[in-house]
Amino acid sequence: MPGMEFAISKSVLLAIVLAPLLGAVVAGLFGRKIGRVGAHSVTILGVAASCALSCYVLWQLVGQGAAPFNENIYTFFQVGAYDAHVGFMVDKLTAMMMVVVTFVSLLVHVYTIGYMADDPGYQRFFSYISLFTFSMLMLVMSNNFLQLFFGWEAVGLVSYLLIGFWFKRPSAIFANLKAFLVNRVGDFGFLLGIAGVLYWFGTLDYATVFANAGDKIGGGQVVQILAGQEWSVATLICICLFIGAMGKSAQVPLHVWLPDSMEGPTPISALIHAATMVTAGIFMVARMSPLFELSETALQFVLFIGATTAFFTGLIGIVQNDIKRVVAYSTLSQLGYMTVALGVSAYSAAVFHLMTHAFFKALLFLAAGSVIIGMHHEQDMRRMGGLRKYMPITFWTSLVGTLALVGTPFFSGFYSKDTIIEAAHHAAEGGGWVGQYGYWAVLLGAFVTAFYSFRLLYMTFFGEERFRDTHAGHEDVHGAPADAVAQAHHVDDHGHHGPVEPHESPWVVTLPLILLAIPSIAIGFFTVGPMLFATDWTGHHEQLPFFLGAIDVAAARDSVMQVGEAVWHGPVAFALHGFQAPAFWLAFAGFALATVMYWWKPGLPAKAARILALPRKVLENKYWADDLWIGGLAGGGMLLARGSRQVDSHLIDGVAVNGSARLVELFSGVLRRLQTGHLYHYAFAMILGLIALLAVLIRYWT
């Protein structure tokens, strides 16, 4: 029988998790002894082995019908009825995530050889990114909430180390502290959600919680939070869990950390933004679909937050000039799309977009890093232009990533992104104002995405070669290593300073770009049918749903099924239908506007900036969200700290501690004067005391 001959091996799963950890430990503890070649060799070997075994596990589940794996490996503790384990739950959802994480991580490892070649922290960096891979695998493979929380916090910790990798730069330290603290806000809600699960279910095991969700919290159970305020238990747990996802997946208002994470080296930008940390929240909500389906209120909240993030953070990307920050705000917007899909119960579309986005967004980040290398660590697009003839491989792969990002029909991004837009459209028909808001946000987001994406492409690879105006006195090296400043300019044979000519990156940089460009083009075409619409890749032969048993959707809210019934007739027909959809024409309008402004009429942006000065100021200040966090949360915390210091120094120390000491000292001084050392004084005091005692007895007892 299928599933009997091909059983997933526990030892294989352990090898998948432990191989990157072993590489991280060896590179981190013995990096000086094994050298640079040894450090990158052991970590790449570990991640490559993990990737190969992950592909093998996915093949077992998809191609050979192996049964999903759910088993505890190790017991942390057992106290009464409560126990905690390390265990793995590996189904098709998990296996897909394992392949994405390890494949992108492997290419990032190879890319790092070229990008970090001159950095003194070479071995340390390889140790960190390998540890990052281990942490993410522990998160996605967990079969219980405690291990999920361990992986959740581990990716947060390693991201803190990587964002602040160049720890001598104050901006990097500020960025990693910002990421760490903002995520603690989200994690507080996440921990409350896990505590709610433990309280109402008595266990942290996924399978037990999901099997009993309807009985335990799906029958209208309520809890009183404040006097007279009753909340549905399902709503409370799901919103708390989603607050954790808002932090990890950078949803408004917990999004402010992600753009600043660009202070770290470019390879970790690809790793954080494409395959690991920011996708953790999306994966978690999809995994918790049996819980979220019990609360319409929680889903509406998810939809509203996702729609706000998708549209409004995308607008900020329009005014960014740092090449990495444009891609970062694009990531925020695309995470919003995934969150909208979660809010309309299109969980499969959300994780499908997660998968396709991982490839083309990693491609765009690594291409941006290739441009930075070719431009000798220049990141300002205003000092670029005309690079396509100097960096042809980087240009063509960037073009592929851009076409996938904007949702061009037949590219991978189209199949996932348009499915989300269509699902939001179907959900909006009976979803009230929140549903309408979600649909229009993702629809208009298509125009915004196309505009900032082609703006980046034109400013970087087309037009005037503005890098020739860069002079040796340019101070802003945007976080390059110390020796990069010296490399940024050269002195010619006549002793004149001038910019070095741009050049194509080495093969260890361009090879990952090519390998990422392939799935950015093709993977959506071949997988959209099996993963979303329960057909083969041609769209003709019906199959069991790909995520059957992993994702639970109420039939009345199955928006992906509604999309399939309405427009799915195979990947070719779906793409041809896409040419007629409003999203395509809005994206085309964004492309046309960017073409006119940044290629045909390069003087238009300056005129538009003067006319639209107020909106531009709002976007350049990022809606003052940073000021709100710094002045509100951080400033409020500082004010509270100063107030508590005053209370501590004046009330507690001044009155309670020092005041009581002074009072004791005063009384002791008085008593000390009564101790004369003469016997007749003591005898006289005893007589007075006896007389007073007798007077009291006579007064009250007679």
Side-chain angles (χ1 to χ4, degrees), residues 200-212:
W200 271 285
F201 289 88
T203 181
L204 294 176
D205 179 70
Y206 285 168
T208 306
V209 170
F210 298 158
N212 296 284

Side-chain angles (χ1 to χ4, degrees), residues 18 26 144 147 161 177 197 312 393 447 464 468 476 546 591-592 607 646:
L18 295 179
V26 172
N144 62 83
Q147 185 177 332
L161 297 173
L177 281 173
V197 170
F312 288 99
I393 298 176
F447 170 83
E464 179 186 356
R468 299 192 182 279
D476 186 7
F546 186 85
F591 156 74
K607 295 179 181 178
Q646 294 298 320

